Amino acid sequence: MLSKQNTLQIKGIAILCIIIFHLFGFPDRLPENIHIDWFGSPITKALQICVPIYLFMAGYGLQCTYQNRNTKWNDILNRIKKTYKFFWWVAIPFIILGIVAGYYHIDTLGGGRTGFKYFWFQKYI
């Protein structure tokens, strides 16, 4: 059985690998005049496995937590509410930043081609 310290270490390594993958796994994001040989290499593509590792460790920790106590549906619903509350605290500033930077277009918020793709969450606000 893995201890809490072990799962935290594994999740930390997984997070670092995810960051490395997002920084170096996409050579098409580089300007055309810059060419780095190891960008997009199989080694960086192999780091995609870190997302499932992180999710497994998080689920394993939750299972161990709930196994040792009497969990009610109310506890689970409170955890879901807490997760979504933190999600929106992070998502809303980045959505606003995307609008200001021009990544999202205001004129397509109502359901235009790109508006529907990026603003699927609008009906929940």
Side-chain angles (χ1 to χ4, degrees), residues 22-94:
H22 282 279
L23 289 174
F24 304 115
F26 302 96
D28 53 320
R29 294 181 182 171
L30 289 174
E32 290 181 20
N33 59 348
I34 297 176
H35 180 72
I36 300 174
D37 291 333
W38 54 273
F39 266 48
S41 69
I43 294 171
T44 56
K45 294 293 183 187
L47 296 175
Q48 289 177 334
I49 192 68
C50 292
V51 173
I53 290 171
Y54 179 85
L55 292 174
F56 178 81
M57 286 293 120
Y60 176 79
L62 282 174
Q63 186 271 336
C64 290
T65 300
Y66 289 137
Q67 182 180 14
N68 297 330
R69 66 181 193 182
N70 188 11
T71 305
K72 298 188 177 15
W73 280 105
N74 197 25
D75 296 333
I76 295 170
L77 291 175
N78 285 338
R79 187 172 195 87
I80 291 171
K81 283 186 222 176
K82 182 180 169 185
T83 301
Y84 275 110
K85 183 176 89 172
F86 287 122
F87 168 78
W88 286 114
W89 273 107
V90 172
I92 289 174
F94 279 99

